[in-house]
Amino acid sequence: MNLYDRINMMADEPGTYDEKMYRILSSDKYSAGDYRKEALGEGMEIVNQVIWGWWKPRFLLNHNLKTAYEWMSANEQLAIVDAEDIDWDSMKRLPDDAMATLRSYSFQYPSFIRGFSNGVAEVQWQLIPDGRYWMDDDGYGMSDECELNIYGFIDRTGKVISRFRYYTEEELGGHVLNRVRREAEARVANQK
């Protein structure tokens, strides 16, 4: 039985789904081949999977709680994020193709969960890839698109603590993400 069949079977069993998924994903089988694990600090780990030739963050493991969370489905859609987790006002100035990626919760382009610190990790969600993304080995197919990312912060259960937001280059250059991280860390600390 493959991973998807085992996990889908568990979805019908109430209460212990995250713990059972954790046991399956903690095995060495999910550290080789199409899977690899990456330590994120603070007892957290991501299980990446090769999808269409790219490493994608599929599952988040919390070794402290011995639980696992599906971050992204096999069809590259975010499994945890929903409309409440997005600052839609900041997205008003985005182009239509970025909005289409966002509305479909697609995590298909290179996107990352960065390391945990003080219970919080930064998530970079790419809505439009750099034009080189489309280029083949000979350099053909490259477009003139500029990479467009949005950012949010999650806690150790994958819950969005600071909603996904679009930041201008000026805001990013002004280290606004450091301030937003500190605010997210304070929210997590207050939840304890």
Side-chain angles (χ1 to χ4, degrees):
M1 181 180 311
N2 68 33
L3 171 67
Y4 308 108
D5 293 337
R6 292 173 78 181
I7 290 173
N8 287 332
M9 250 178 40
M10 289 185 300
D12 297 328
E13 300 175 28
T16 59
Y17 175 74
D18 294 337
E19 294 88 357
K20 288 181 180 181
M21 187 166 57
Y22 173 82
R23 284 197 304 273
I24 292 169
L25 292 168
S26 292
S27 72
D28 290 340
K29 178 179 180 182
Y30 297 100
S31 296
D34 286 346
Y35 297 92
R36 78 172 174 208
K37 295 178 183 170
E38 177 185 345
L40 297 176
E42 297 188 348
M44 299 298 296
E45 194 170 43
I46 193 82
V47 177
N48 292 296
Q49 180 182 357
V50 174
I51 300 175
W52 295 101
W54 299 88
W55 287 104
K56 302 289 183 156
R58 280 293 317 277
F59 301 97
L60 191 61
L61 301 180
N62 184 325
H63 295 297
N64 301 319
L65 298 177
K66 306 241 182 287
T67 55
Y69 309 93
E70 183 177 25
W71 174 254
M72 182 187 79
S73 67
N75 66 358
E76 301 178 289
Q77 287 186 301
L78 290 171
I80 293 178
V81 177
D82 61 27
E84 295 174 358
D85 299 322
I86 297 169
D87 179 349
W88 293 100
D89 286 339
S90 75
M91 307 299 173
K92 289 179 180 176
R93 48 193 160 178
L94 299 184
D96 290 342
D97 51 349
M99 290 302 292
T101 302
L102 181 62
R103 284 189 192 105
S104 65
Y105 300 94
S106 174
F107 217 61
Q108 73 187 60
Y109 302 122
S111 299
F112 307 94
I113 299 175
R114 309 256 188 251
F116 277 83
S117 176
N118 298 317
V120 172
E122 174 188 312
V123 178
Q124 177 186 326
W125 180 359
Q126 193 170 103
L127 301 180
I128 299 176
D130 179 280
R132 291 174 291 185
Y133 177 86
W134 308 107
M135 182 173 62
D136 66 14
D137 292 340
D138 295 324
Y140 294 102
M142 184 169 150
S143 74
D144 61 355
E145 291 177 309
C146 292
E147 184 176 311
L148 192 148
N149 298 296
I150 61 175
Y151 298 86
F153 290 88
I154 60 172
D155 69 9
R156 285 179 251 179
T157 65
K159 179 183 175 198
V160 176
I161 297 299
S162 179
R163 294 186 306 164
F164 284 94
R165 178 178 169 79
Y166 171 70
Y167 297 97
T168 64
E169 290 298 319
E170 293 79 27
E171 290 171 319
L172 292 173
H175 307 289
V176 70
L177 284 180
N178 291 335
R179 179 183 51 78
V180 175
R181 172 184 273 286
R182 287 191 303 275
E183 291 168 1
E185 289 172 356
R187 276 188 222 114
V188 167
N190 289 334
Q191 291 175 354
K192 293 180 181 178

